[in-house]
Amino acid sequence: MNEKSKKNKDIGLRIKKIRKSQNKTLEEFGKLFSPPASKSIVSRWESGKSIPSVERLQKLSQIAKCSIDDILYGTLKENILMLVNTILSYSKYEEDSLENKLVNVGNSTLRISEVYFFIGLFNDDVFERPPEHVRGLTGDNRRKAYQEWKKGTLDKNGFSKKGIEYIVNVSEDIAKAMDIKAYEHEALLDIILGEEKRHFEDMRYTNESLRDSVLSGLSNLLDNIDNFVSVYNNKTKEWVRLNNEVDYSYYESIRNFLSETYSEFSSIYGDYGE
């Protein structure tokens, strides 16, 4: 089946789903259009042998309470889920033998190295931790309970169900905010891979991650401004003050301000990494 035939078949399945949701026969469904579509025409739509006209697509979108793009390309969430599952499907290949290979993902491509970095995220317990009763066990009991718990968290292909749901939902939220369309797969992949890296770096969209990001940023600022006035001597294992144009009292006032801000923020919101 070529790409056009597959696309038409997918459109047909969506039209059939709309008809079924209305509890209509082929003939009854056709009568919703003006002029009416015959039973055979609706059947041709659903089989992917023909595509409704623009006017009938507009009517379909009104019936289904969705956009024409949703009918032609599927919803944003459906496309994101398809892209995620396509990436994960490449787990069966040997990474080394395909190191520089480009693989098809939707209507775009990815390097296999990007694919394997994404897949690696789903091989660890990064999306959810074992429940407390499992963590409290020891020895064989813990191992058996962990395996049973882990089995329930994975889909049929062995990937984290919660992880896939998280990546899809967050990516959809961002894509909507950026007004990215369901068929813009390259842009969607940028979001998906970006969210995977954020999660891998523990930069999830939670209050805790926001707090930790602020504290980490303040900590990095403190380290950075120290480099304006001193360097670390690896031989003596000491920081040595530089003789440059930076006014040391000016540096100290800025550092004290940042240190006080860090301390005050920590006292209100908690320490980094809690």
Side-chain angles (χ1 to χ4, degrees):
M1 184 184 296
N2 61 37
E3 190 62 33
K4 184 178 180 181
S5 297
K6 184 181 182 307
K7 180 182 175 183
N8 289 353
K9 195 167 187 65
D10 288 342
I11 294 171
L13 290 173
R14 294 183 199 111
I15 294 173
K16 185 175 183 177
K17 186 177 179 180
I18 294 170
R19 176 176 66 82
K20 292 284 188 181
S21 72
Q22 301 294 310
N23 293 315
K24 302 285 187 183
T25 64
L26 292 169
E27 188 174 357
E28 290 169 340
F29 192 67
K31 289 179 179 178
L32 297 177
F33 299 87
S34 180
S38 68
K39 176 180 175 180
S40 61
I41 287 178
V42 176
S43 178
R44 285 178 62 81
W45 293 346
E46 293 187 1
S47 64
K49 292 178 181 176
S50 67
I51 301 297
S53 65
V54 173
E55 292 76 19
R56 283 174 167 169
L57 282 171
Q58 288 173 339
K59 180 62 178 178
L60 273 168
S61 71
Q62 292 170 7
I63 294 169
K65 295 181 173 58
C66 68
S67 69
I68 292 177
D69 275 356
D70 287 344
I71 299 170
L72 294 177
Y73 307 104
T75 65
L76 193 57
K77 177 170 279 190
E78 287 169 348
N79 277 267
I80 292 170
L81 179 59
M82 178 274 291
L83 293 172
V84 169
N85 284 330
T86 301
I87 295 172
L88 294 177
S89 73
Y90 285 104
S91 63
K92 60 188 177 183
Y93 294 103
E94 292 293 332
E95 181 178 6
D96 293 341
S97 64
L98 300 171
E99 186 175 353
N100 296 313
K101 183 179 175 64
L102 287 174
V103 293
N104 293 321
V105 182
N107 57 30
S108 188
T109 57
L110 288 178
R111 290 198 175 278
I112 201 70
S113 56
E114 294 178 287
V115 167
Y116 271 87
F117 189 85
F118 185 89
I119 291 171
L121 182 66
F122 290 84
N123 292 333
D124 298 310
D125 297 334
V126 295
F127 290 102
E128 53 187 324
R129 296 181 64 204
E132 192 173 336
H133 78 272
V134 173
R135 298 199 301 271
L137 298 174
T138 58
D140 288 341
N141 289 334
R142 179 188 175 92
R143 184 161 50 253
K144 189 180 296 184
Y146 173 81
Q147 289 172 348
E148 191 63 31
W149 165 80
K150 185 69 175 177
K151 185 178 178 182
T153 68
L154 305 177
D155 67 7
K156 63 181 181 180
N157 297 312
F159 296 110
S160 167
K161 290 183 285 189
K162 192 169 184 178
I164 292 172
E165 181 184 10
Y166 173 86
I167 292 292
V168 169
N169 287 341
V170 172
S171 298
E172 181 191 25
D173 190 36
I174 293 170
K176 282 182 177 177
M178 297 175 67
D179 196 27
I180 293 173
K181 305 301 181 186
Y183 52 83
E184 296 178 314
H185 289 175
E186 186 172 353
L188 291 177
L189 283 170
D190 285 342
I191 293 173
I192 292 167
L193 295 179
E195 289 316 301
E196 159 256 335
K197 289 172 184 175
R198 283 178 63 88
H199 197 98
F200 194 78
E201 294 166 0
D202 205 23
M203 292 286 288
R204 285 158 279 189
Y205 295 97
T206 63
N207 291 341
E208 291 78 10
S209 289
L210 174 59
R211 175 202 66 189
D212 291 350
S213 178
V214 172
L215 290 172
S216 177
L218 286 170
S219 180
N220 288 335
L221 275 174
L222 286 165
D223 290 340
N224 287 339
I225 66 167
D226 288 344
N227 293 326
F228 277 87
V229 296
S230 59
V231 293
Y232 187 71
N233 187 314
N234 287 313
K235 292 181 180 179
T236 63
K237 308 300 182 187
E238 293 178 335
W239 283 93
V240 181
R241 185 171 162 181
L242 296 171
N243 184 24
N244 57 27
E245 296 181 10
V246 176
D247 184 334
Y248 199 78
S249 62
Y250 182 66
Y251 151 78
E252 284 185 316
S253 67
I254 294 175
R255 198 182 202 292
N256 289 338
F257 170 77
L258 290 174
S259 295
E260 289 169 7
T261 302
Y262 186 101
S263 298
E264 185 175 353
F265 190 92
S266 297
S267 68
I268 298 172
Y269 297 103
D271 287 330
Y272 172 63
E274 266 190 358

